[in-house]
Amino acid sequence: QVQLVESGGGLVQPGGSLRLSCTASGLTFTRYTVAWFRQVPGKEREFVAVTSKRTGSTMYADSVKGRFTISRDNRENAVHLQMNSLEPEDTAVYYCAASAGVIVSQFRSQSGYAYWGQGRQVTVSS
């Protein structure tokens, strides 16, 4: 049975940093494209970042580019999202997602991912 579990996050002041981690059981991340999405109440879930399974290349939403970094830890079978220079607009529930077969044109789409974590709250507030 596949399970993705997010950890980290929490409350931070504007300008601060947090790290989210996604660990997997039942699958090996090296064989999967892994992405982070986020959602605020009343809005659609939006793409944040992705790391591809084939090359490990990364892609980011314009709103987080230069501030967030997605990385893989193959030894721990984990994917991390380092979030720096956080802004109140980054407040959301963050989800990790994984797919073995998503194509590049679908990287930013929720529908491309078969497996999802339960979500982790990130709050940026003074």
Side-chain angles (χ1 to χ4, degrees):
Q1 184 177 354
V2 174
Q3 188 175 17
L4 304 184
V5 178
E6 298 100 339
S7 61
L11 173 65
V12 69
Q13 293 186 343
S17 298
L18 287 172
R19 189 172 88 154
L20 292 169
S21 297
C22 178
T23 56
S25 58
L27 62 82
T28 302
F29 269 155
T30 54
R31 300 176 182 175
Y32 287 76
T33 291
V34 182
W36 288 94
F37 288 77
R38 66 186 183 186
Q39 189 171 24
V40 297
K43 292 189 176 182
E44 289 192 5
R45 196 169 297 186
E46 67 173 0
F47 167 79
V48 175
V50 63
T51 173
S52 71
K53 69 173 183 178
R54 289 182 58 200
T55 64
S57 62
T58 58
M59 187 185 300
Y60 297 91
D62 288 345
S63 59
V64 306
K65 200 173 296 183
R67 300 187 298 122
F68 290 14
T69 302
I70 188 171
S71 63
R72 293 176 178 265
D73 184 337
N74 294 334
R75 185 180 61 178
E76 298 292 330
N77 198 31
V79 172
H80 305 296
L81 185 68
Q82 178 66 41
M83 304 180 290
N84 298 329
S85 302
L86 282 160
E87 304 167 353
E89 293 74 22
D90 296 316
T91 295
V93 176
Y94 284 71
Y95 298 87
C96 68
S99 173
V102 62
I103 58 176
V104 173
S105 61
Q106 293 292 312
F107 274 8
R108 297 172 183 261
S109 173
Q110 296 181 61
S111 62
Y113 297 88
Y115 303 107
W116 290 83
Q118 80 286 354
R120 194 75 175 174
Q121 178 69 44
V122 170
T123 302
V124 185
S125 175
S126 56

